Amino acid sequence: MKKVLLTISLIFSAALAFSVSYKNNTYQKLADEYTRKAEHALDAGEYVLAEEYAAKAEENARLSEEFVKKMLAKADCDAVMKQAAKKLEYAKSINAERNFPMAYSSAQKSYASAQESYNGEDYVSATAFAKQVLEALADIKEITPLPEFYVVRPWAETKDCYWNISGRPYVYDNPLLWENLYQNEENKKNMPRPNDPNLILPGMKMKIPSITGEYREGVYNPSKKYDPYSANR
């Protein structure tokens, strides 16, 4: 008897808590209904029936709690998904697909996974994927594309050589990558002695090949401000 009374009391309290905020919660409505039936059966001395109703009320209260948690997760997910969609839209508007191909591609894949999880009502996973979109695009911004060409200047002025040019931020920001410049066929054709990487002449228009999918265009212009090359773009 005490167990029945305690169960009814707990279910009734839970019913009050959830029914206030979630009036369209079918499980909570059933929990409320079975709670009332259990109380009436208990008052009528029908203890077995009261226990049956109390058990059904308890089960529906559990389902109601799960439903509420799911709806809260959905609400959180909706907010993050909206942020992710807006960030992707912004990224597209500033040509992130071109200037930050790795970050943009990663964000697209994460957003597709978020949508798939959302459609499957897995809101926790969808939220996690949507957050990955925001993380992938956190550092994107509108930038001047890196130069595709560089015109060699006199050694006395700039110390231009493959090693030094490769080390400049707008090229590869790493002198050790100089062979990417030297091994390019277009550059070799413009060299007086193609087998001698130490000999390049002022005025030579040097191509700067893309090595990690980074977008490049135009000739280096010292009056422009370029962000340093990054393999993470």
Side-chain angles (χ1 to χ4, degrees):
M1 178 65 66
K2 289 182 179 179
K3 180 180 177 182
V4 174
L5 289 171
L6 179 60
T7 300
I8 291 175
S9 176
L10 290 173
I11 299 305
F12 186 68
S13 297
L16 287 176
F18 288 119
S19 62
V20 172
S21 300
Y22 299 94
K23 295 180 180 179
N24 295 323
N25 185 340
T26 301
Y27 298 115
Q28 192 55 56
K29 290 179 180 179
L30 288 172
D32 293 342
E33 182 180 343
Y34 281 121
T35 297
R36 287 191 294 270
K37 287 183 177 181
E39 289 176 332
H40 293 154
L42 187 64
D43 291 341
E46 298 178 353
Y47 304 124
V48 174
L49 187 59
E51 284 198 29
E52 290 178 1
Y53 285 143
K56 290 181 179 180
E58 186 174 12
E59 173 64 11
N60 279 282
R62 182 186 66 77
L63 293 172
S64 173
E65 186 174 359
E66 291 177 0
F67 174 79
V68 170
K69 287 180 179 178
K70 186 175 183 178
M71 291 302 99
L72 289 173
K74 181 179 182 298
D76 289 340
C77 185
D78 286 339
V80 181
M81 287 283 285
K82 185 176 181 180
Q83 291 178 40
K86 288 183 68 175
K87 192 69 173 180
L88 269 173
E89 185 178 347
Y90 168 72
K92 186 175 181 179
S93 73
I94 62 169
N95 295 314
E97 185 175 9
R98 183 188 72 183
N99 296 324
F100 298 89
M102 294 177 68
Y104 188 78
S105 176
S106 176
Q108 280 190 312
K109 290 177 182 177
S110 293
Y111 191 72
S113 296
Q115 287 182 309
E116 184 178 352
S117 295
Y118 187 93
N119 292 337
E121 298 187 358
D122 182 356
Y123 302 117
V124 174
S125 295
T127 299
F129 283 124
K131 287 181 178 179
Q132 287 178 12
V133 173
L134 299 176
E135 291 170 5
L137 300 178
D139 295 326
I140 67 163
K141 58 183 178 180
E142 195 163 5
I143 63 171
T144 300
L146 293 169
E148 185 181 6
F149 296 97
Y150 176 81
V151 177
V152 177
R153 292 173 287 179
W155 170 266
E157 297 176 12
T158 60
K159 299 294 187 289
D160 273 356
C161 64
Y162 280 123
W163 176 274
N164 289 338
I165 293 170
S166 178
R168 296 192 180 132
Y170 51 85
V171 181
Y172 298 134
D173 204 23
N174 185 346
L176 295 174
L177 298 176
W178 69 272
E179 287 185 295
N180 290 283
L181 300 171
Y182 171 59
Q183 296 295 343
N184 182 265
E185 289 301 320
E186 289 185 38
N187 293 337
K188 281 196 172 186
K189 288 178 182 178
N190 292 326
M191 295 172 62
R193 293 202 294 269
N195 293 326
D196 183 2
N198 296 309
L199 183 59
I200 57 175
L201 300 178
M204 170 186 169
K205 189 176 182 180
M206 182 183 297
K207 183 175 176 61
I208 306 171
S210 170
I211 57 174
T212 54
E214 78 278 9
Y215 177 77
R216 293 178 176 273
E217 71 174 18
V219 179
Y220 168 71
N221 184 341
S223 66
K224 289 184 179 181
K225 181 179 180 181
Y226 300 94
D227 284 313
Y229 162 80
S230 171
N232 295 323
R233 282 187 181 177

